[in-house]
Amino acid sequence: MKVKKQHILAGALILALGAAVYLNWQFSGTPLIKPSSKELGSATYVSNEATATVDEAKAASNEMTPEAKLAQARTDRTQAQDSALDAAENILSLSDSSDDAKAEAVKAANTIEQRILAQSNIEGILTAKGYPSAICYLSDSGCTVTVLSSELSENSPVIIKEAVISQTEVEFNNIVIVDV
């Protein structure tokens, strides 16, 4: 009986994380198959009105600046973390949940909260060191830091990896830096 409730808790958390990843993919606007740049038979009409067509709006959203992409990524990450915390709180609020299931939910919520705090601390350190747009993603296997290409210098990898190591127990070779 105890094992089943723990599996239900783990399944609910995995489902919440999967939903967050799916929503992140949906709202990021990156298609799985890139459409061709030209379509046969498409025409552009010139008018005096300042409204945009659906195609123009899609093109404008795909041409986001790197800063806007990082801001969107930060929003998506926050939403995913909030949904995972909500799933854990939902399990805690169920009156028929066993003490073991509630303990697992508390443990999962604490892990998520510790990651959120570490990510925030790393981003604060990186902001102080000249990387104001840096976004940090922590996982069980490592850490990924996304930074604007314009902010990177020759010493950036060492500075970024030192900031991550100062706040986590992630090994040096498990830290990935992505430039946008």
Side-chain angles (χ1 to χ4, degrees):
M1 187 72 147
K2 292 180 184 178
V3 173
K4 289 183 181 180
K5 289 186 180 182
Q6 289 175 347
H7 287 277
I8 291 171
L9 171 64
L13 289 175
I14 290 171
L15 183 64
L17 183 61
V21 168
Y22 174 75
L23 289 174
N24 184 17
W25 172 72
Q26 281 293 332
F27 291 121
S28 69
T30 55
L32 292 176
I33 301 173
K34 292 185 179 182
S36 63
S37 61
K38 300 267 182 180
E39 288 184 8
L40 241 169
S42 66
T44 304
Y45 297 101
V46 179
S47 69
N48 198 13
E49 297 178 18
T51 59
T53 64
V54 173
D55 292 334
E56 291 169 344
K58 285 181 182 177
S61 68
N62 287 340
E63 297 173 5
M64 292 175 57
T65 63
E67 293 86 358
K69 288 180 181 178
L70 288 176
Q72 182 64 40
R74 190 179 307 262
T75 302
D76 293 343
R77 181 194 67 189
T78 302
Q79 290 173 349
Q81 291 170 341
D82 289 344
S83 68
L85 284 173
D86 289 341
E89 289 175 5
N90 186 23
I91 291 172
L92 285 173
S93 67
L94 295 174
S95 61
D96 63 340
S97 296
S98 70
D99 291 337
D100 291 337
K102 288 182 180 181
E104 281 292 319
V106 168
K107 184 178 176 184
N110 285 339
T111 302
I112 294 169
E113 288 173 353
Q114 288 172 354
R115 283 187 183 164
I116 292 170
L117 180 62
Q119 289 171 354
S120 177
N121 290 345
I122 291 167
E123 290 170 1
I125 291 169
L126 292 175
T127 298
K129 294 199 179 229
Y131 306 97
S133 60
I135 301 176
C136 177
Y137 298 95
L138 287 173
S139 68
D140 291 337
S141 60
C143 178
T144 302
V145 179
T146 306
V147 184
L148 286 176
S149 297
S150 60
E151 295 175 353
L152 291 175
S153 66
E154 198 173 295
N155 297 331
S156 294
V158 174
I159 294 169
I160 293 170
K161 288 184 176 192
E162 284 179 356
V164 172
I165 289 172
S166 71
Q167 296 297 313
T168 64
E169 296 178 1
V170 176
E171 294 180 18
F172 193 80
N173 58 350
N174 290 336
I175 301 170
V176 178
I177 300 170
V178 178
D179 61 329
V180 179

